[in-house]
Structures are given as structure tokens and as C-alpha cells.
Amino acid sequence: SYVLTQPPSVSVAPGQTARITCGGNNIGSKSVHWYQQKPGQAPVLVVYDDSDRPSGIPERFSGSNSGNTATLTISRVEAGDEADYYCQVWDSSSDQVVFGGGTKLTVL
Amino acid sequence: QVTLKESGPVLVKPTETLTLTCTVSGFSLSNARMGVSWIRQPPGKALEWLAHIFSNDEKSYSTSLKSRLTISKDTSKSQVVLTMTNMDPVDTATYYCARILLYWSAFYFDYWGQGTLVTVSS
């Protein structure tokens, strides 16, 4: 089965740039989507199709995907960005939706 | 305005069958570009996809849970129902339904329900 690997935690100071990675075998050939989840809330889509943003999501959120790693980049990090972030793909070969294990972003 | 709302029991006993209903509004379950998925999250743990269903009634299930899951929809009622048999305490989780938006040969979850916490305990 297809596996997505995320670092358990990332810490960054306010105003700096946070990069959250999502590793998977040849993930660059798949479309990667990212969700933000704050405590006690449902996930929210922040990036879809590797690098597109839904309406209402700040331009500070961006994504990239190549080779074996997809990356969610959050520029000019704010305290309100502190949350868990999950990457997600659809593995067409097995017809399975796969989520990464999640990364807790801490704003110092 | 797109909304999804989960409903069902908050407490089930081990070995019982769980039935959850997702009632949607703001879109139709007959829309060819859309579907609905069930996703769960045990307390303090990661998201886990369970199943989804599309407008043409195509269904997919998590390989690890396939034998216990059934997903169905009633388009006229705007509802998607998930049943999970033989519940166990490890199935204690918040269960979410989410709208699927199809594009090209991929899809993502653009709207989520608030989730419903289901506890499995005798």
C-alpha cells in the first residue's frame, strides 16, 4: 500500500517561513492536497492539486511537488497558523485515498 | 452554501453495528463532479479514509476495513449512509463526512462536516 511520510512536528518563529514535507514513492506523479486542522475543528483544505489555493486561503500558503517529496510552504507565519497539517493523495493503482500522518506546526 | 452534517449514535457497544448518516445541502449527490467520503480520526491521531461514493453509485472502501463497511446514498434525501459492523473500542473516533470534488483523474475534499464523536464501550 502507498505510504505518505510527514515529520511529526515543525517549529517556526512568527514572520518566518515554515516548510512541511510529505514523502512518498514517486509522489511527483500524483496530485497532492493539504489540509489544516486546528484543535477541535474539522480539517480545512488549504492547497489542492500540488499548488492551487481554494478561495479564501491566503497567498502565504503554497505548495510544490517533485520526485519523492511534496512540500507545503507557509510564508510569514502567524500565530493563527498553528495547527496540524495533513497531506493526501489518491493512489489510483489501488483505488485508495491515503493521508500522511500529520505534522504539528508550532509557532514559537 | 455547501454544508455536510453527520448524525448517529455517540455510544455503541462492542460487536454492535454503527450506522452514520451524512446529510448534505448546497449541492446534489447526482452531480457528476462530486461525491461524498467518510473519514475518521481517533483521539489524538491522524486522519484515516474509510470509504467514498460517487454520483454514478461507484464505491470504494479502505482495504483494511472493507469487510466491515458499507456505503450507500439516497439522492432524493441528500443523504449518504455508512455502516460499520462488529465495532471495537479501537474504532472510537470522530467520524467526518466530506465532499469530494473531482477534477481530471484526481479528487480532493473541499468541504467537511463538523464530525461526530463515536465511543465504543460496554
Side-chain angles (χ1 to χ4, degrees):
Chain A
S1 61
Y2 195 77
V3 176
L4 295 175
T5 301
Q6 298 183 236
S9 63
V10 168
S11 298
V12 64
Q16 300 303 302
T17 298
R19 294 179 179 84
I20 299 172
T21 59
C22 177
N25 184 34
N26 196 27
I27 195 174
S29 67
K30 302 181 184 301
S31 292
V32 180
H33 319 295
W34 292 91
Y35 303 88
Q36 176 194 68
Q37 186 180 34
K38 297 182 179 180
Q41 298 183 20
V44 172
L45 180 71
V46 292
V47 167
Y48 66 94
D49 193 18
D50 296 342
S51 59
D52 289 333
R53 278 187 317 277
S55 61
I57 300 301
E59 291 183 5
R60 300 184 298 104
F61 288 82
S62 62
S64 62
N65 183 20
S66 178
N68 293 318
T69 305
T71 303
L72 174 69
T73 301
I74 309 172
S75 305
R76 302 180 300 282
V77 167
E78 304 174 354
D81 298 331
E82 193 162 275
D84 294 326
Y85 291 84
Y86 294 90
C87 57
Q88 174 251 312
V89 301
W90 174 56
D91 181 31
S92 59
S93 63
S94 61
D95 192 21
Q96 298 287 287
V97 173
V98 182
F99 285 97
T103 298
K104 181 176 181 58
L105 176 66
T106 299
V107 182
L108 301 171
Chain B
Q1 181 187 5
V2 173
T3 64
L4 302 96
K5 186 172 177 62
E6 306 89 351
S7 59
V10 295
L11 179 67
V12 297
K13 291 181 169 56
T15 75
E16 289 186 340
T17 294
L18 171 68
T19 299
L20 293 172
T21 299
C22 177
T23 302
V24 309
S25 64
F27 71 99
S28 171
L29 295 176
S30 63
N31 188 315
R33 288 194 61 217
M34 296 171 187
V36 170
S37 188
W38 284 95
I39 297 152
R40 72 178 179 179
Q41 185 174 38
K45 296 189 177 182
L47 300 169
E48 179 184 18
W49 171 75
L50 299 176
H52 62 235
I53 188 167
F54 292 114
S55 59
N56 61 358
D57 217 38
E58 180 182 337
K59 304 163 189 172
S60 293
Y61 297 97
S62 166
T63 300
S64 61
L65 294 167
K66 186 173 184 175
S67 63
R68 299 174 53 205
L69 296 174
T70 302
I71 191 169
S72 62
K73 64 180 175 70
D74 185 330
T75 301
S76 65
K77 293 183 178 179
S78 296
Q79 293 180 333
V80 175
V81 175
L82 181 77
T83 62
M84 180 179 292
T85 60
N86 194 24
M87 292 292 284
D88 183 273
V90 299
D91 296 314
T92 294
T94 295
Y95 287 76
Y96 296 99
C97 59
R99 187 178 83 166
I100 295 170
L101 191 62
L102 282 159
Y103 71 101
W104 300 111
S105 60
F107 59 82
Y108 52 86
F109 308 113
D110 63 341
Y111 287 91
W112 295 62
Q114 65 189 21
T116 184
L117 175 61
V118 178
T119 301
V120 184
S121 174
S122 55

